[in-house]
Amino acid sequence: MNDSPTHSNEVQADWYASAFDALYPVVYAHRTVEAAAPEAAFALKALEITSRDVVLDLCCGNGRHMVHLVPHARRVIGLDYSPHLLCLARRSLGGKGLLLRGDMRSLPFPETFDVVTNFFTSFGYFMDEAENRSVARGIGRVLRPSGRFLVDYLNADYVEANLVPESQRESAGYRIHERRWIDSALRRVNKVMEVSRGGRMVSRSSESVRLYTVREMTNLLGSAGLEVTALHGDYDGTPVANTRPRVILVGRKPAGHG
């Protein structure tokens, strides 16, 4: 489904600044701590995380993956831009782990981490390609030599083949109306979401993510000094395919790459 003039001004360049607000627990009610357990278990195994490792959960959101990572690592630090999600994360973690507000384009760390995780398509947010590349470079910069990473990203081929243009659902007494389209010129998948209660709209937000192919993602991470060593199509470990919704990239920073 291609973009049309009626959609042209519906997504702001800085959509991420307000998209993850206080209604996040309603809109993404299914994204729970319990639902994150098998995803975190996959990451723990794929990245061989041990009690010696210092882990960065980049774009940690409400901390649902961190809850499962904290018991297995020496230290887990979560970074997110949304104060609303960080507040939820503090409740979930109960004082365990360290939470920081920050921008993934400019990570406030030196070469610190043995592992970096990036779950739930938290990559490709920025309209400027240079800014998306800066996120990849940041991962490479903060990883120690031989450090490992996991980037959980969407499968562009699957999205294009299975996009649902419009849907409605209810959650906790709210009605959520979502419209989706692909901007083929910019190679982005966009969504506008209106949340209403009692017939009155209480929130309107948008999302936009760059549709990188597997090769583009591998090359982008490679340009940041990161080597992709495994690709998975979902958290069950299946291979990447047009019928699989995810592209989970696992890899490392080569030992001599400072």
Side-chain angles (χ1 to χ4, degrees), residues 118-151:
N118 183 237
F119 292 100
F120 189 33
T121 310
S122 299
F123 191 90
Y125 281 7
F126 307 107
M127 303 292 181
D128 185 340
E129 288 293 297
E131 293 183 298
N132 291 320
R133 288 194 296 270
S134 72
V135 177
R137 285 197 303 271
I139 295 172
R141 180 177 56 79
V142 303
L143 273 176
R144 293 171 176 154
S146 298
R148 294 93 70 201
F149 68 88
L150 179 149
V151 176

Side-chain angles (χ1 to χ4, degrees), residues 5 8 36 39 44-45 48 77 87 134 175 195 210 217 222 232 245 254 257-258:
S8 58
E39 300 169 0
L44 286 165
K45 182 177 180 180
E48 300 179 343
I77 296 174
C87 182
S134 72
R175 178 171 291 275
V195 181
R210 175 70 158 82
M217 279 293 289
H232 303 280
H257 199 296

